Amino acid sequence: MRHRAEKLELLIAEEDLRRRCRELGEEITADYAGEEIHVIGVLKGACVFVADLIREIDLDLSLDFLGLSSYGSRTESSGVVRMTSDLSVPIKGRHVVVVEDIVDTGLTMKYLLENLRTRMPESLEVCTLLHKPSNAKVEVPLKYVGFEIADEFVIGYGLDDAEYSRHLPYVGYVPQSES
Ligand code: IMP
Ligand code: MG
């Protein structure tokens, strides 16, 4: 029963997630003052974060989603990325902010940014809730980062363990002996 939440250690509490969403929302609001932004949430992991974040942004804003799935083992990214669903509208000429749950090796985000750049947005920035800098394999420009974390496999607040536990309102990790 590895998907049961009671074996998790708390990493980021609900109130800290809420506070950080508010700060990031204020930062984005200030940075794009007078502009419209087009937010792209990366499914499925960013579903919870993007819903909380956009409610803290005070700008004209439109929202779209795309789905990505990276092949690999449970805890290791292979860098081979599959687009499971594409955007519903073009992004040409728009100020795009990509919202992701976590940047680990950076391979998924590198693939995504290269793909989106070919569609000629006016600007393209990334807001990720979590970043594991110790695992980086490629450099990706991350303008907004919620929390830098150690190399733990984290779950909750949209992040899954083999599709389970996305609904947890906090971010936790499985202690090594339990995983
Ligand atoms: P990448 O290694 O930066 O390419 O990350 C690939 C994908 O792996 C991310 O978009 C997440 O969906 C997933 N991932 C990476 N680290 C974790 C984690 O600690 N928990 C859950 N999913 C993760
Ligand atoms: Mg993801």
Side-chain angles (χ1 to χ4, degrees):
M1 287 274 232
R2 118 171 105 70
H3 53 277
R4 293 287 291 275
E6 55 265 37
K7 284 183 182 166
L8 286 184
E9 296 280 343
L10 179 67
L11 186 65
I12 309 171
E14 245 182 295
E15 69 226 53
D16 296 318
L17 292 164
R18 205 172 310 124
R19 175 185 49 79
R20 198 68 188 110
C21 277
R22 195 169 312 127
E23 290 170 355
L24 289 168
E26 284 169 4
E27 215 179 306
I28 291 170
T29 302
D31 288 353
Y32 291 89
E35 308 280 359
E36 266 186 56
I37 62 167
H38 187 62
V39 173
I40 297 177
V42 183
L43 297 174
K44 303 174 203 169
C47 64
V48 178
F49 176 46
V50 75
D52 283 347
L53 178 69
I54 57 172
R55 286 179 284 178
E56 304 291 349
I57 297 175
D58 186 15
L59 295 169
D60 288 328
L61 182 155
S62 50
L63 176 65
D64 204 354
F65 292 97
L66 58 75
L68 291 182
S69 169
S70 46
Y71 293 109
S73 66
R74 172 176 162 237
T75 57
E76 204 128 314
S77 171
S78 64
V80 180
V81 183
R82 187 166 55 101
M83 193 171 283
T84 55
S85 69
D86 203 351
L87 297 174
S88 64
V89 292
I91 58 171
K92 188 170 183 199
R94 311 181 85 162
H95 291 294
V96 171
V97 179
V98 175
V99 177
E100 178 58 303
D101 54 354
I102 185 163
V103 175
D104 184 13
T105 61
L107 292 167
T108 302
M109 188 51 74
K110 180 173 188 283
Y111 165 89
L112 179 58
L113 292 178
E114 281 170 5
N115 180 301
L116 294 178
R117 268 191 210 107
T118 66
R119 309 185 198 199
M120 294 183 292
E122 175 69 26
S123 66
L124 181 61
E125 301 290 355
V126 177
C127 177
T128 184
L129 177 68
L130 305 174
H131 182 215
K132 289 185 194 169
S134 61
N135 250 0
K137 286 190 181 155
V138 287
E139 276 283 311
V140 278
L142 303 176
K143 179 137 190 208
Y144 306 100
V145 176
F147 300 90
E148 296 212 328
I149 62 170
D151 185 15
E152 297 279 2
F153 189 76
V154 292
I155 296 164
Y157 199 69
L159 292 130
D160 71 308
D161 179 6
E163 296 300 330
Y164 286 101
S165 303
R166 293 190 196 274
H167 62 301
L168 301 175
Y170 56 89
V171 175
Y173 65 96
V174 185
Q176 281 310 319
S177 58
E178 304 281 1
S179 60

